[in-house]
Amino acid sequence: NLIVVDDMLPSAKEIKEATENNTVPIKTKTVQNFLKKHNWHDDSVFFVDDEKNDFLRVATNNLKRDVRVMEQVGVNVYDLLKVKRLVISKKALRSLEERLVRETGKYICRREGKFQTTITEEQILKWEENARIMREKVEARKKNWSVKSLNL
């Protein structure tokens, strides 16, 4: 299952209030409730955000299950295939898509025996076409996705 959320980071106001009250903006109980709400009791869950999210990482550390938090820069295809449940922010999804398209283009060049250090205009056009096709596939599959606010 895939859930695309608007944002996983707490707002500046939430961080300020938590600091004033000597608490944390995202609590383990909040993450547990989110997982329970989606009936994700025993499955592995992978949270991917565009930037480092220490608040969510600390909140998930106390869970006694396979829950991982990572920024999109460190995510690879194997990570995505390994988990049953994925929660990703919109910004991370866009960044991940762009990065994977670039890496796929580089792989195609190596596979075709074109070991080169410069990128040709033809390759850029080919990658842009691949990115357009991938975006169309994503748009077609969005009918089955649920876009929700994480409210952590």
Side-chain angles (χ1 to χ4, degrees), residues 109 116 118-129:
C109 287
Q116 58 197 51
T118 58
I119 298 171
T120 65
E121 184 69 28
E122 180 182 310
Q123 289 169 325
I124 292 171
L125 293 173
K126 186 176 182 180
W127 296 340
E128 288 174 350
E129 177 65 16

Side-chain angles (χ1 to χ4, degrees), residues 88-114:
I88 188 168
S89 68
K90 287 181 182 180
K91 191 174 179 183
L93 184 61
R94 282 191 293 275
S95 300
L96 184 63
E97 175 191 23
E98 290 171 7
R99 185 170 60 86
L100 291 176
V101 167
R102 278 194 313 270
E103 289 176 5
T104 302
K106 290 177 186 176
Y107 169 76
I108 290 169
C109 287
R110 285 194 301 270
R111 190 182 68 203
E112 293 173 355
K114 299 177 184 174

Side-chain angles (χ1 to χ4, degrees), residues 4-96:
V4 180
V5 296
D6 293 327
D7 197 5
M8 285 190 220
L9 286 172
S11 67
K13 179 182 174 187
E14 292 170 325
I15 294 171
K16 183 180 177 188
E17 287 174 2
T19 305
E20 289 172 356
N21 296 328
N22 203 20
T23 61
V24 291
I26 302 175
K27 299 183 188 247
T28 302
K29 186 73 172 172
T30 309
V31 177
Q32 281 178 327
N33 291 339
F34 174 80
L35 298 174
K36 196 180 294 183
K37 176 179 156 187
H38 295 287
N39 294 322
W40 295 352
H41 300 290
D42 297 324
D43 299 325
S44 58
V45 181
F46 194 24
F47 289 92
V48 180
D49 205 356
D50 194 51
E51 53 191 78
K52 193 173 184 180
N53 191 336
D54 288 329
F55 300 115
L56 186 57
R57 186 179 315 279
V58 168
T60 59
N61 278 345
N62 295 328
L63 296 175
K64 294 182 171 115
R65 55 185 298 182
D66 184 19
V67 177
R68 295 176 57 208
V69 178
M70 189 178 282
E71 54 189 303
Q72 69 84 19
V73 173
V75 175
N76 59 42
V77 175
Y78 178 74
D79 292 327
L80 299 176
L81 294 175
K82 194 167 81 170
V83 295
K84 290 188 177 184
R85 314 288 188 192
L86 175 64
V87 181
I88 188 168
S89 68
K90 287 181 182 180
K91 191 174 179 183
L93 184 61
R94 282 191 293 275
S95 300
L96 184 63

